[in-house]
Amino acid sequence: YNQYITKEKEIVIGIVQRIEKKNVIVQIGKIDAILAPNEQIPGEQYKFMDRIKVYVVEVKQTTKGPQIYVSRTHPELVKRLFEQEVPEVFDGTVEIKSIAREEGSRTKISVKAEVPNVDPVGACVGINGARVKAIVNELGNEQIDIIEWDENPAQYIVNALSPAKVVSISACDDENGKKATVVVSDQQLSLAIGKAGQNVRLAAKLTGYGIDIKSESQIEDSAKPESDDETDIDDDMLVFSEDTDTQAETDADEVNE
């Protein structure tokens, strides 16, 4: 226990030993750790003697001795991988501000340079994408979007919705919570929403803002006037937050059709 408690919240390399009741048993040094089903990347196959990097979630002392619980889905796994691959992240030159992850599919991270004249996104991507590719490969080809953090919430949301281009945005943070109204071109609507609403859903998780999104033609068709450079939200407004995905999927299908 004393040996492994120091590894809590860190990445270690484990060797797959066996599968017991859907739990993957991973050997770390001289002790076996448990990779529970909910900590496994969806669709990832684990074979005997595979070497995998895992995030140590918890080390517990039990009646049967010390027990280690590890994860492949924890957002901190992504952060630790960037610390290993990107010297600027490891030494604090570049800070990872936020991570939004749908494990096995796509992750968005926001980064900020703590030193002038440093490109935080470029540092994380690496020459010819070498640094981020190494992390993508480790996570089973999980897509990773790296965006620049901005102290201006509106600009931060615009960055988070990348690769979609935003026409206009209005963001507010008041007693009603953090909300943003975003307008995109008709051609960019499906890209902004993403497949099954994933792009805007991750952007909402990353920024902490509920995101309302509409196309230019929907704005033009709206009978309600604009005031104070903000677009009034009507009943047809698409509202996306961390808990919204069904509407996103429906609207994405309509746009594709």
Side-chain angles (χ1 to χ4, degrees), residues 154-178:
Q155 185 60 52
Y156 186 25
I157 294 166
V158 170
N159 295 348
L161 286 171
S162 177
K165 305 298 182 183
V166 173
V167 173
S168 64
I169 180 172
S170 173
C172 65
D173 181 2
D174 53 29
E175 64 276 5
N176 295 320
K178 295 181 176 181

Side-chain angles (χ1 to χ4, degrees), residues 68-221:
I68 304 175
Y69 297 91
V70 296
S71 174
R72 289 274 292 168
T73 63
H74 202 289
E76 285 292 308
L77 172 65
V78 178
K79 183 177 181 180
R80 294 287 182 258
L81 287 172
F82 271 96
E83 289 176 350
Q84 289 184 351
E85 294 292 335
V86 183
E88 292 86 348
V89 174
F90 180 78
D91 65 19
T93 301
V94 173
E95 178 187 0
I96 295 178
K97 298 290 289 185
S98 182
I99 300 174
R101 186 183 184 198
E102 293 187 358
E103 55 275 2
S105 179
R106 189 176 184 182
T107 290
K108 283 182 181 282
I109 74 167
S110 60
V111 294
K112 175 190 176 185
E114 298 294 338
V115 176
N117 302 320
V118 172
D119 176 9
V121 175
C124 291
V125 172
I127 299 175
N128 296 324
R131 291 174 174 176
V132 72
K133 282 179 183 177
I135 298 171
V136 168
N137 291 337
E138 175 60 38
L139 297 177
N141 294 320
E142 183 174 315
Q143 182 180 345
I144 298 178
D145 298 340
I146 305 170
I147 66 105
E148 187 168 2
W149 179 87
D150 199 291
E151 62 181 3
N152 183 330
Q155 185 60 52
Y156 186 25
I157 294 166
V158 170
N159 295 348
L161 286 171
S162 177
K165 305 298 182 183
V166 173
V167 173
S168 64
I169 180 172
S170 173
C172 65
D173 181 2
D174 53 29
E175 64 276 5
N176 295 320
K178 295 181 176 181
K179 297 180 180 179
T181 301
V182 176
V183 179
V184 299
S185 68
D186 291 16
Q187 294 78 13
Q188 291 283 307
L189 182 59
S190 60
L191 185 61
I193 294 172
K195 185 178 181 181
Q198 186 181 65
N199 190 58
V200 71
R201 186 170 59 248
L202 285 173
K205 290 180 180 179
L206 190 73
T207 63
Y209 275 75
I211 300 176
D212 308 333
I213 188 167
K214 242 187 176 182
S215 68
E216 288 180 301
S217 63
Q218 288 173 317
I219 290 293
E220 292 172 359
D221 292 341

